[in-house]
Amino acid sequence: MGELSQQIEQSVAAANHPTRQIPPLEKWQPKLSGTMDVVVKANGEWWHEGSQITRPLLIDLFAKVLWSEVDDNHHVQYFLKTPVEKWQIQVEDAPLLVNQVDVITKQFGDTSKPVLQFTTTQGDVVIADEQHPIRLGLPFTNATSDELLKQKQASQPYLLVRQNGDSALYGLIHRNVFYHLIKLGELVEGEEGTSLILHSGDSTFTLTMTA
């Protein structure tokens, strides 16, 4: 873990970004190094060899090099990736957790519009738009999750936080954040169930919650 931390830190620093940025993971093509006993819990906690990782800087470092791959059966696997190593880790639900939403104003041409800005516990700041959609359920399943969790995931709200090449990393929207979104959005009753309609700039998202 110590050697990997140093390697990740060097790789992130080599990206030479003045602010928090994700390194160009899509350009790194290392072979699989093996499996590491790291688990990202459904509540956003990170654990290593049965002990919770409590150092925020270490979690932030690992979160910057998260990588996902989806097979032909739509099963997703997650990795920590550097230019020379790729270690598979376990993710119970989504690899990121959205714990804050703010309504801010953004300029669109000659007009300004309110947008939904989300923040993850790992420090990602993302505005919901066509490249970062809000949705119910994930477009793939985690082969290591049990059936109960998979059923729960289907009705939970997620935000696409990062897209690096073919790697898509979603953030689970925390329950308190979702309650706030309900206040910000519009609830509409339809034949399929109750839909929450959210507007963010020029983008509109419809989340239909079936009975």
Side-chain angles (χ1 to χ4, degrees):
M1 175 70 79
E3 292 181 0
L4 179 64
S5 301
Q6 293 177 5
Q7 188 179 115
I8 292 173
E9 190 170 5
Q10 292 171 359
S11 302
V12 172
N16 196 27
H17 292 296
T19 58
R20 184 185 189 276
Q21 295 286 341
I22 306 303
L25 305 179
E26 69 278 5
K27 297 180 180 179
W28 300 344
Q29 303 297 329
K31 294 182 179 179
L32 181 64
S33 303
T35 300
M36 181 176 291
D37 189 4
V38 171
V39 181
V40 182
K41 299 285 189 178
N43 61 2
E45 294 176 351
W46 285 63
W47 288 66
H48 175 240
E49 295 182 348
S51 299
Q52 184 179 354
I53 301 175
T54 56
R55 290 174 55 197
L57 289 178
L58 185 58
I59 294 175
D60 177 66
L61 196 63
F62 288 160
K64 287 177 180 176
V65 295
L66 273 170
W67 181 259
S68 72
E69 294 180 3
V70 179
D71 62 23
D72 294 337
N73 295 319
H74 298 288
H75 290 157
V76 64
Q77 294 179 322
Y78 294 96
F79 307 87
L80 299 179
K81 188 177 180 185
T82 77
V84 296
E85 291 189 63
K86 184 173 77 171
W87 293 91
Q88 185 175 352
I89 66 170
Q90 182 182 347
V91 175
E92 289 185 347
D93 195 329
L96 303 171
L97 180 65
V98 178
N99 66 338
Q100 181 177 333
V101 61
D102 299 288
V103 179
I104 65 171
T105 300
K106 183 180 178 182
Q107 201 71 21
F108 292 85
D110 296 330
T111 61
S112 58
K113 298 181 181 180
V115 297
L116 299 174
Q117 178 178 278
F118 294 88
T119 304
T120 72
T121 56
Q122 290 79 18
D124 301 273
V125 179
V126 175
I127 291 174
D129 55 22
E130 297 306 311
Q131 288 71 46
H132 304 92
I134 309 167
R135 57 175 294 154
L136 288 180
L138 292 169
F140 39 68
T141 60
N142 192 332
T144 62
S145 300
D146 59 33
E147 289 303 317
L148 186 61
L149 179 55
K150 290 178 182 178
Q151 293 174 13
K152 183 179 179 181
Q153 286 176 327
S155 61
Q156 292 182 151
Y158 296 88
L159 172 74
L160 178 54
V161 178
R162 302 184 206 156
Q163 184 81 49
N164 296 78
D166 294 331
S167 172
L169 297 181
Y170 282 82
L172 171 64
I173 297 176
H174 191 277
R175 182 178 301 176
N176 292 342
V177 176
F178 188 59
Y179 288 157
H180 190 38
L181 288 175
I182 292 176
K183 295 179 181 179
L184 296 173
E186 177 186 3
L187 289 174
V188 177
E189 297 292 340
E191 293 182 359
E192 296 182 357
T194 302
S195 295
L196 173 63
I197 301 176
L198 298 166
H199 300 282
S200 180
D202 291 330
S203 301
T204 300
F205 307 99
T206 301
L207 311 181
T208 300
M209 295 159 278
T210 58

